[in-house]
Amino acid sequence: MSADLAKINAAAAALDFVEDGMLLGLGTGSTAAHFVRLLGERVKKGLNVRGVPTSEATDKLARDVGVPIVPVDRVGSLDLAVDGADEVDGAFRLIKGGGAALLREKIIAGAAKHFVVIADESKMVDTLGAFPLPVEVTAFGFTLTAQRIYSALKAHGCHGTEAGLRERDGKPVVTDGGNYIIDCKCAAIPDAEGLADALKRITGVVEHGLFLGMARTVIVGREKGAEVRER
Ligand code: 5RP
């Protein structure tokens, strides 16, 4: 199956939630990029919306396709946020951060009245954790922080765990906020809420990629069409 077609179908279905005059959170990643491009086409046809991007990459794309941008520090709340995900379970719990944008994504999704997730069906899972959980940490002391993350993973039933620095071309990946990413290979996360709480308590952890209780709508994209699921 074509994952890209499925992503496009999910993104296209999300346009049904967009209304004239809305302030929109614009996600990051390939699926969210499809949404931004489709949104740009609607704007060219007269749709009046403004967007708050969740990354520098999305900011650039939105400007390129003609979606008006509002700086995040000028907004109170958002009407709708649309973003992709790396994993989605049956309770609409997510792993995000594969694109290293999880901090801004979580701030924007949390400020939106309605958070819609768009994902191709390969992202749907019974149990979170096959996708390595990204955790954003300060660059200072990241090896110490990674050790504490590893202990938290073990304490919350994640077996076969590794907590490793994300690198590209032999260098640490640096987020838009200037931080590093620790990718946690858990295989399965049996207690997502407990782990989320534990990670938040570690000094040096800026944010983690577990998005719990945030998504209200999940749009599952398939090669032929998309299914809208509501919580
Ligand atoms: C970026 C994200 C993305 O939404 C996630 O990685 C999914 O990406 P894609 O749509 O390319 O599969 O969380 O930080």
Side-chain angles (χ1 to χ4, degrees):
M1 104 158 188
S2 159
D4 209 45
L5 197 50
K7 289 177 183 194
I8 292 169
N9 285 335
L15 287 174
D16 290 345
F17 291 87
V18 177
E19 292 171 19
D20 207 57
M22 276 186 164
L23 180 59
L24 304 171
L26 305 175
T28 294
S30 57
T31 318
H34 286 307
F35 175 76
V36 174
R37 283 189 209 100
L38 292 168
L39 191 66
E41 288 173 17
R42 290 283 173 95
V43 168
K44 284 198 181 86
K45 289 180 186 154
L47 179 73
N48 168 35
V49 290
R50 294 168 304 147
V52 182
T54 54
S55 63
E56 300 301 326
T58 299
D59 187 299
K60 179 176 183 318
L61 174 63
R63 290 173 196 277
D64 286 351
V65 300
V67 177
I69 292 301
V70 186
V72 67
D73 49 7
R74 298 266 176 84
V75 303
S77 74
L78 294 90
D79 298 298
L80 177 74
V82 178
D83 203 348
D86 299 299
E87 281 188 347
V88 183
D89 78 2
F92 288 18
R93 300 183 298 183
L94 319 174
I95 288 183
K96 283 185 54 54
L102 65 98
L103 173 61
R104 293 185 186 190
E105 290 172 334
K106 198 178 273 190
I107 290 171
I108 297 303
K113 292 178 193 133
H114 186 176
F115 177 32
V116 174
V117 173
I118 49 177
D120 65 90
E121 60 184 340
S122 71
K123 309 287 184 57
M124 304 301 136
V125 299
D126 291 330
T127 306
L128 297 176
F131 188 92
L133 174 67
V135 180
E136 184 160 346
V137 301
T138 59
F140 180 87
F142 77 89
T143 54
L144 297 172
T145 307
Q147 286 173 42
R148 296 190 62 197
I149 290 171
Y150 181 84
S151 300
L153 293 165
K154 287 278 177 204
H156 287 83
C158 300
H159 301 294
T161 301
E162 277 175 42
L165 181 68
R166 189 182 298 180
E167 293 181 320
R168 194 181 301 129
D169 302 327
K171 293 190 185 135
V173 168
V174 178
T175 70
D176 285 343
N179 300 308
Y180 288 173
I181 297 283
I182 303 294
D183 284 314
C184 304
K185 293 183 186 160
C186 304
I189 300 174
D191 175 16
E193 280 75 14
L195 178 61
D197 287 347
L199 291 172
K200 282 298 273 187
R201 286 198 299 272
I202 298 172
T203 304
V205 168
V206 179
E207 192 49 79
H208 56 75
L210 287 166
F211 285 48
L212 309 179
M214 298 182 77
R216 200 210 305 170
T217 305
V218 172
I219 303 180
V220 186
R222 302 205 170 86
E223 208 171 0
K224 290 188 181 153
E227 178 197 345
V228 177
R229 298 181 184 169
E230 299 284 352
R231 184 152 64 99

